[in-house]
């Protein structure tokens, strides 16, 4: 290394360091994936800190238990599940309204209204064919899950899956993708993967979307308790101003923060979500506490009305991976500190 390079400051070293760990991490992922049967626990540990984008589709299918850990069986299972999805679409979606109940017609109309409103600031989702895919996935899921049916917010949860599974077939920037470049077969495969992965994700939080959404109510209560324990001044200020956590945090749990951060950061956040597996609902409480307390000082200077406005339009539009990593590492630290003594979080 020349003198010029060696004196070019810490920033350079940091970037180099990150690159080195990146290549080392990629090797660990590749090694883990190369075996005949992979160890899910190892994969979870690796994925928690982020998955290289080109490996994401494979890793996400594995983390959600959609693709089996045994590599010999993987191809066959995916083929079968994709055909099963096609059958469901033919049976439930591709039928005339005369064959649907009134409730089903109402539900389909609601989904059709929500699809164009999904991630409105990402032009890719404004393509009519993308919205049709979203509609098919959501309606099929809702019919197959009558306990909850369709609930607004579930439409947001499909979007990371759509982008990640399409990335296997598309090149370049997502903003320039056109779904029309893909064959019907490929679109159907992507939809199927989204459908099954959404199903697996929501299996772990069934009471989040049933009547009155009790699972979310419970987690919002836990969030309030955790914030009180970590940051008493901000907790007291919110109390004094009469701000109810449900007023802002309900949407966070309902849409898993998709509406609160720039869309280009969502897949990275979801690496951690999916790595958490069954423990995700409890860990969301820590992530959201960390997210909220990013603005602890600011919140203490606002009155009720200002807080409501601020929390509905958080200034995250210029966030990079750095801010997100900070939120996640704080959440991890607090989880390590407080989760061993969870009595304060009993509902």
């Amino acid at each position: 290394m020349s003198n010029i390079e060696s004196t070019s400051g810490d920033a350079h070293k940091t970037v180099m360091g990150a690159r080195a760990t990146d290549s080392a991490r990629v090797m660990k992922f590749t090694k883990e994936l190369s075996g005949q049967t992979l160890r899910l626990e190892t994969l979870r540990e690796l994925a928690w800190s982020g998955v290289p984008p080109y490996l994401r589709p494979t890793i996400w299918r594995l983390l959600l238990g959609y693709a089996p850990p045994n590599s010999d069986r993987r191809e066959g299972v995916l083929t079968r599940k994709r055909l099963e999805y096609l059958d469901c679409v033919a049976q439930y979606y591709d039928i005339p309204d005369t064959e649907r109940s009134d409730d089903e017609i109402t539900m389909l109309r609601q989904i059709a209204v929500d699809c164009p409103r999904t991630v409105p600031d990402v032009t890719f989702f404004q393509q009519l064919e993308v919205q049709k895919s979203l509609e098919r996935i959501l309606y099929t899921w809702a019919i197959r899950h009558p306990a909850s049916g369709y609930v607004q917010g579930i439409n947001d949860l499909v979007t990371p899956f759509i982008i990640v599974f399409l990335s296997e077939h598309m090149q370049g920037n997502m903003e320039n993708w056109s779904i029309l470049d893909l064959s019907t077969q490929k679109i159907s495969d992507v939809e199927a993967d989204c459908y099954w992965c959404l199903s697996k994700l929501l299996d772990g939080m069934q009471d989040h979307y049933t009547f009155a959404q009790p699972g979310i109510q419970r987690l919002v209560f836990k969030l309030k308790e955790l914030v009180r324990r970590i940051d008493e001044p901000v907790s007291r200020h919110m109390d004094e101003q009469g701000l109810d956590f449900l007023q802002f945090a309900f949407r966070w749990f309902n849409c898993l923060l998709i509406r609160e951060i720039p869309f280009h950061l969502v897949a990275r956040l979801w690496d951690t979500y999916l790595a958490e597996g069954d423990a995700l609902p409890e860990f969301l409480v820590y992530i959201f506490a960390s997210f909220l307390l990013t603005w602890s000082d600011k919140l203490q200077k606002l009155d009720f009305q200002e807080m409501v406005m601020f929390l509905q339009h958080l200034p995250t539009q210029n966030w990079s991976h750095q801010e997100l990593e900070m939120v996640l590492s704080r959440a991890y630290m607090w989880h390590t500190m407080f989760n061993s003594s969870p009595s304060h979080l009993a509902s």
Side-chain angles (χ1 to χ4, degrees):
M1 201 186 211
S2 71
N3 286 341
I4 300 167
E5 280 180 275
S6 61
T7 55
S8 65
D10 291 337
H12 180 72
K13 268 186 241 166
T14 312
V15 173
M16 291 302 285
R19 272 187 219 144
T21 48
D22 276 356
S23 60
R25 279 172 52 70
V26 169
M27 279 174 68
K28 284 181 183 169
F29 274 109
T30 315
K31 181 170 179 279
E32 199 48 52
L33 289 170
S34 63
Q36 189 180 8
T37 304
L38 55 82
R39 298 162 300 178
L40 267 176
E41 272 320 297
T42 311
L43 198 61
R44 284 190 195 289
E45 283 169 25
L46 281 172
W48 202 97
S49 307
V51 178
Y54 74 98
L55 288 176
R56 222 170 239 143
T58 304
I59 305 277
W60 281 18
R61 288 188 199 105
L62 289 161
L63 289 175
L64 282 157
Y66 166 45
N70 185 312
S71 60
D72 294 344
R73 291 184 48 233
R74 219 163 284 158
E75 200 69 30
V77 167
L78 292 183
T79 304
R80 194 180 77 244
K81 298 299 253 184
R82 286 164 180 169
L83 285 170
E84 194 182 325
Y85 170 75
L86 263 182
D87 287 345
C88 289
V89 170
Q91 190 181 340
Y92 303 120
Y93 182 84
D94 294 334
I95 57 171
D97 278 356
T98 48
E99 292 180 30
R100 300 185 213 276
S101 70
D102 288 351
D103 284 351
E104 287 167 358
I105 289 172
T106 307
M107 187 164 69
L108 183 54
R109 284 198 184 132
Q110 182 61 60
I111 291 171
V113 166
D114 286 351
C115 285
R117 299 174 179 167
T118 307
V119 209
D121 51 342
V122 177
T123 50
F124 172 76
F125 286 105
Q126 303 316 305
Q127 294 175 37
L128 198 59
E129 292 71 22
V130 177
Q131 292 173 10
K132 273 290 165 202
S133 283
L134 191 55
E135 188 177 295
R136 272 191 295 272
I137 295 162
L138 289 167
Y139 183 75
T140 308
W141 184 86
I143 291 284
R144 296 278 308 264
H145 296 80
S148 64
Y150 173 69
V151 176
Q152 283 177 302
I154 298 179
N155 52 319
D156 292 83
L157 305 188
V158 184
T159 56
F161 294 130
I162 289 182
I163 293 303
V164 165
F165 295 133
L166 274 174
S167 72
E168 288 187 291
H169 310 288
M170 302 288 211
Q171 302 299 314
N173 188 335
M174 171 183 85
E175 293 294 333
N176 305 323
W177 289 356
S178 167
I179 200 169
L180 292 172
D181 295 343
L182 293 186
S183 66
T184 322
Q185 169 72 54
K186 279 184 177 163
I187 292 174
S188 172
D189 287 353
V190 167
E191 280 182 27
D193 289 2
C194 292
Y195 168 83
W196 289 112
C197 287
L198 176 73
S199 301
K200 293 283 190 185
L201 175 73
L202 294 183
D203 281 350
M205 22 179 131
Q206 284 184 342
D207 63 350
H208 288 214
Y209 299 99
T210 50
F211 179 71
Q213 301 182 254
I216 291 182
Q217 305 259 2
R218 190 176 63 246
L219 292 181
V220 170
F221 176 80
K222 288 187 171 183
L223 174 63
K224 183 179 179 174
E225 287 297 295
L226 182 62
V227 168
R228 187 175 57 79
R229 186 151 189 213
I230 294 170
D231 191 333
E232 214 275 328
V234 87
S235 169
R236 191 172 58 242
H237 178 70
M238 289 165 90
D239 262 353
E240 284 166 359
Q241 291 298 320
L243 182 68
D244 186 344
F245 270 63
L246 279 169
Q247 286 175 283
F248 61 91
F250 190 88
R251 183 172 80 180
W252 298 3
F253 285 105
N254 200 45
C255 308
L256 297 185
L257 233 48
I258 286 178
R259 296 188 190 180
E260 319 308 322
I261 62 171
F263 193 73
H264 69 92
L265 297 177
V266 168
R268 166 63 195 95
L269 174 60
W270 280 51
D271 291 337
T272 299
Y273 284 176
L274 303 186
E276 279 290 323
D278 294 339
L280 174 61
E282 298 303 316
F283 194 67
L284 287 173
V285 174
Y286 289 87
I287 294 180
F288 296 176
S290 176
F291 184 64
L292 175 68
L293 294 175
T294 302
W295 298 280
S296 170
D297 294 347
K298 169 88 178 167
L299 288 167
Q300 290 178 59
K301 300 186 180 100
L302 303 178
D303 66 19
F304 173 79
Q305 203 53 52
E306 291 167 334
M307 266 196 290
V308 171
M309 286 304 293
F310 181 74
L311 289 164
Q312 276 172 358
H313 306 280
L314 288 165
T316 58
Q317 59 276 10
N318 297 321
W319 271 30
S320 66
H321 282 269
Q322 206 173 350
E323 286 85 0
L324 181 60
E325 295 299 342
M326 181 60 97
V327 166
L328 291 173
S329 58
R330 246 195 334 245
Y332 183 82
M333 178 183 73
W334 288 338
H335 184 258
T336 311
M337 285 165 63
F338 293 127
N339 202 47
S340 51
S341 53
S343 54
H344 67 290
L345 292 183
S347 36

